[in-house]
Amino acid sequence: MTKKDYVLTMLENFEKHNDILPEHVQTLLKEVKQDIESVSSDTFFLETNGVVTRSASYQPPDRTNPLFRLSEAYFDLKKVAEANRDTRPELISAVTQYEGLTNESEGYSPE
């Protein structure tokens, strides 16, 4: 399974719960999925592998990177998943997959 396939499967697992996700999260998930589907597996890997060629002061974060865009929805996804832990364990599993992929930390908030 390629990284692209893995992320698309994770997005599909999120989308199964659209009935309880905020509209802005649904929209973001749809946009990110379309962006990922539009590139090859190799291109997706290169765009998301985290390799930098310059220091952060010279290379700002790529806000179009699909994984960066998903980080915008992380806290909403986590909150909804926690609130529905008993009835939607698959959603918690999808959030855990995302955390493993991106090394998200519960203690860190970009706000």
Side-chain angles (χ1 to χ4, degrees):
M1 176 179 280
T2 66
K3 185 175 184 180
K4 175 182 173 177
D5 294 334
Y6 181 84
V7 174
L8 286 173
T9 300
M10 184 182 65
L11 289 172
E12 289 168 5
N13 290 335
F14 286 136
E15 288 177 332
K16 290 177 185 175
H17 305 281
N18 271 348
D19 60 316
I20 61 172
L21 295 177
E23 190 172 324
H24 71 279
V25 172
Q26 292 177 41
T27 301
L28 179 70
L29 293 174
K30 183 179 177 181
E31 290 172 1
V32 168
K33 184 176 180 182
Q34 289 171 341
D35 290 346
I36 293 171
E37 289 174 334
S38 72
V39 299
S40 71
S41 294
D42 291 338
T43 299
F44 179 74
F45 179 77
L46 290 173
E47 290 176 350
T48 61
N49 67 8
V51 173
V52 293
T53 56
R54 295 177 280 177
S55 70
S57 60
Y58 295 108
Q59 183 172 337
D62 179 5
R63 298 192 185 284
T64 63
N65 177 311
L67 298 182
F68 183 86
R69 296 217 39 229
L70 277 176
S71 72
E72 298 170 14
Y74 170 71
F75 289 104
D76 288 327
L77 287 166
K78 179 88 170 171
K79 186 166 72 171
V80 170
E82 289 291 338
N84 294 280
R85 177 181 287 280
D86 295 334
T87 58
R88 309 273 181 123
E90 312 86 22
L91 185 54
I92 285 284
S93 178
V95 169
T96 302
Q97 274 185 295
Y98 172 77
E99 291 170 339
L101 178 68
T102 60
N103 297 316
E104 283 287 348
S105 170
E106 237 179 278
Y108 172 74
S109 174
E111 298 173 20

